[in-house]
Short mmCIF file of all heavy atoms in Angstrom, two decimals:
data_model
loop_
_atom_site.label_atom_id
_atom_site.label_comp_id
_atom_site.label_asym_id
_atom_site.label_seq_id
_atom_site.Cartn_x
_atom_site.Cartn_y
_atom_site.Cartn_z
N ALA A 170 72.07 95.27 -65.94
CA ALA A 170 71.70 93.86 -66.16
C ALA A 170 72.94 92.96 -66.15
O ALA A 170 72.89 91.82 -65.69
CB ALA A 170 70.94 93.72 -67.47
N LEU A 171 74.07 93.50 -66.65
CA LEU A 171 75.30 92.69 -66.67
C LEU A 171 75.84 92.43 -65.26
O LEU A 171 76.54 91.45 -65.03
CB LEU A 171 76.38 93.38 -67.51
CG LEU A 171 76.21 93.33 -69.02
CD1 LEU A 171 77.35 94.06 -69.71
CD2 LEU A 171 76.13 91.89 -69.52
N LEU A 172 75.51 93.33 -64.34
CA LEU A 172 75.97 93.15 -62.96
C LEU A 172 75.06 92.22 -62.16
O LEU A 172 75.38 91.84 -61.04
CB LEU A 172 76.05 94.51 -62.25
CG LEU A 172 77.08 95.50 -62.78
CD1 LEU A 172 77.00 96.82 -62.03
CD2 LEU A 172 78.48 94.92 -62.69
N ASP A 173 73.91 91.87 -62.74
CA ASP A 173 72.95 90.99 -62.07
C ASP A 173 73.47 89.56 -62.10
O ASP A 173 73.43 88.89 -63.13
CB ASP A 173 71.59 91.10 -62.78
CG ASP A 173 70.50 90.32 -62.05
OD1 ASP A 173 70.83 89.40 -61.27
OD2 ASP A 173 69.32 90.64 -62.26
N GLN A 174 73.96 89.10 -60.95
CA GLN A 174 74.61 87.79 -60.88
C GLN A 174 73.65 86.63 -61.12
O GLN A 174 74.08 85.50 -61.34
CB GLN A 174 75.31 87.62 -59.52
CG GLN A 174 76.33 88.68 -59.22
CD GLN A 174 77.53 88.69 -60.17
OE1 GLN A 174 78.23 87.69 -60.27
NE2 GLN A 174 77.74 89.78 -60.87
N SER A 175 72.35 86.91 -61.06
CA SER A 175 71.38 85.83 -61.29
C SER A 175 71.16 85.58 -62.79
O SER A 175 70.49 84.64 -63.18
CB SER A 175 70.05 86.16 -60.61
OG SER A 175 69.38 87.19 -61.30
N ILE A 176 71.73 86.43 -63.63
CA ILE A 176 71.63 86.23 -65.08
C ILE A 176 72.95 85.66 -65.60
O ILE A 176 73.02 84.54 -66.07
CB ILE A 176 71.25 87.54 -65.80
CG1 ILE A 176 69.87 88.00 -65.31
CG2 ILE A 176 71.24 87.32 -67.31
CD1 ILE A 176 69.44 89.35 -65.82
N ILE A 177 74.01 86.48 -65.52
CA ILE A 177 75.37 85.98 -65.79
C ILE A 177 76.17 86.25 -64.53
O ILE A 177 76.12 87.35 -63.98
CB ILE A 177 76.03 86.72 -66.97
CG1 ILE A 177 75.15 86.68 -68.21
CG2 ILE A 177 77.39 86.09 -67.28
CD1 ILE A 177 75.72 87.49 -69.37
N CYS A 178 76.89 85.26 -64.05
CA CYS A 178 77.65 85.49 -62.83
C CYS A 178 79.11 85.78 -63.15
O CYS A 178 79.63 85.35 -64.17
CB CYS A 178 77.53 84.29 -61.89
SG CYS A 178 78.32 82.80 -62.52
N GLY A 179 79.74 86.53 -62.29
CA GLY A 179 81.17 86.75 -62.42
C GLY A 179 81.58 88.09 -62.99
O GLY A 179 82.75 88.46 -62.91
N ILE A 180 80.64 88.83 -63.59
CA ILE A 180 80.98 90.13 -64.16
C ILE A 180 80.82 91.20 -63.10
O ILE A 180 79.77 91.31 -62.48
CB ILE A 180 80.10 90.46 -65.37
CG1 ILE A 180 80.26 89.40 -66.46
CG2 ILE A 180 80.44 91.85 -65.92
CD1 ILE A 180 79.32 89.58 -67.63
N GLY A 181 81.84 91.98 -62.89
CA GLY A 181 81.77 93.09 -61.94
C GLY A 181 81.76 94.42 -62.67
O GLY A 181 81.64 94.46 -63.90
N ASN A 182 81.92 95.47 -61.93
CA ASN A 182 81.76 96.81 -62.49
C ASN A 182 82.76 97.13 -63.59
O ASN A 182 82.42 97.79 -64.57
CB ASN A 182 81.86 97.84 -61.36
CG ASN A 182 81.23 99.16 -61.74
OD1 ASN A 182 80.14 99.20 -62.31
ND2 ASN A 182 81.92 100.23 -61.45
N ILE A 183 83.99 96.68 -63.42
CA ILE A 183 85.02 97.01 -64.42
C ILE A 183 84.74 96.30 -65.75
O ILE A 183 84.70 96.92 -66.81
CB ILE A 183 86.42 96.62 -63.90
CG1 ILE A 183 86.79 97.50 -62.71
CG2 ILE A 183 87.46 96.74 -65.02
CD1 ILE A 183 88.06 97.08 -62.01
N TYR A 184 84.49 94.99 -65.67
CA TYR A 184 84.33 94.22 -66.92
C TYR A 184 82.99 94.49 -67.59
O TYR A 184 82.85 94.27 -68.79
CB TYR A 184 84.55 92.73 -66.67
CG TYR A 184 85.98 92.47 -66.27
CD1 TYR A 184 86.30 92.05 -64.99
CD2 TYR A 184 87.01 92.72 -67.16
CE1 TYR A 184 87.62 91.86 -64.61
CE2 TYR A 184 88.33 92.55 -66.80
CZ TYR A 184 88.63 92.12 -65.52
OH TYR A 184 89.94 91.96 -65.15
N ALA A 185 82.01 94.98 -66.84
CA ALA A 185 80.75 95.37 -67.47
C ALA A 185 81.01 96.52 -68.44
O ALA A 185 80.57 96.49 -69.59
CB ALA A 185 79.73 95.77 -66.40
N SER A 186 81.76 97.52 -67.99
CA SER A 186 82.11 98.64 -68.87
C SER A 186 82.96 98.17 -70.05
O SER A 186 82.74 98.55 -71.20
CB SER A 186 82.90 99.72 -68.10
OG SER A 186 82.04 100.52 -67.32
N GLU A 187 83.94 97.34 -69.75
CA GLU A 187 84.87 96.89 -70.80
C GLU A 187 84.18 96.02 -71.85
O GLU A 187 84.45 96.14 -73.04
CB GLU A 187 86.04 96.13 -70.16
CG GLU A 187 86.94 96.98 -69.27
CD GLU A 187 87.72 98.05 -70.06
OE1 GLU A 187 88.11 97.79 -71.20
OE2 GLU A 187 87.89 99.16 -69.52
N ALA A 188 83.29 95.15 -71.40
CA ALA A 188 82.59 94.26 -72.34
C ALA A 188 81.65 95.05 -73.24
O ALA A 188 81.57 94.79 -74.44
CB ALA A 188 81.82 93.18 -71.57
N LEU A 189 80.97 96.04 -72.68
CA LEU A 189 80.07 96.86 -73.49
C LEU A 189 80.86 97.69 -74.51
O LEU A 189 80.42 97.90 -75.63
CB LEU A 189 79.23 97.78 -72.59
CG LEU A 189 78.10 97.07 -71.85
CD1 LEU A 189 77.48 97.99 -70.80
CD2 LEU A 189 77.02 96.60 -72.83
N TYR A 190 82.04 98.12 -74.10
CA TYR A 190 82.89 98.85 -75.04
C TYR A 190 83.31 97.93 -76.19
O TYR A 190 83.20 98.29 -77.36
CB TYR A 190 84.13 99.41 -74.33
CG TYR A 190 85.12 100.00 -75.29
CD1 TYR A 190 84.89 101.23 -75.88
CD2 TYR A 190 86.28 99.30 -75.64
CE1 TYR A 190 85.77 101.75 -76.80
CE2 TYR A 190 87.17 99.82 -76.56
CZ TYR A 190 86.92 101.05 -77.14
OH TYR A 190 87.79 101.56 -78.06
N GLU A 191 83.76 96.75 -75.83
CA GLU A 191 84.19 95.76 -76.83
C GLU A 191 83.06 95.46 -77.82
O GLU A 191 83.28 95.31 -79.01
CB GLU A 191 84.64 94.48 -76.12
CG GLU A 191 85.02 93.32 -77.02
CD GLU A 191 86.36 93.50 -77.74
OE1 GLU A 191 87.20 94.25 -77.22
OE2 GLU A 191 86.54 92.88 -78.81
N ALA A 192 81.82 95.40 -77.28
CA ALA A 192 80.67 95.08 -78.13
C ALA A 192 80.11 96.32 -78.83
O ALA A 192 79.19 96.21 -79.65
CB ALA A 192 79.58 94.42 -77.29
#
Side-chain angles (χ1 to χ4, degrees):
Chain A
L171 285 180
L172 294 177
D173 186 339
Q174 302 296 301
S175 72
I176 298 173
I177 306 175
C178 67
I180 300 174
N182 201 44
I183 294 172
Y184 295 112
S186 281
E187 294 294 325
L189 285 170
Y190 172 74
E191 175 74 25

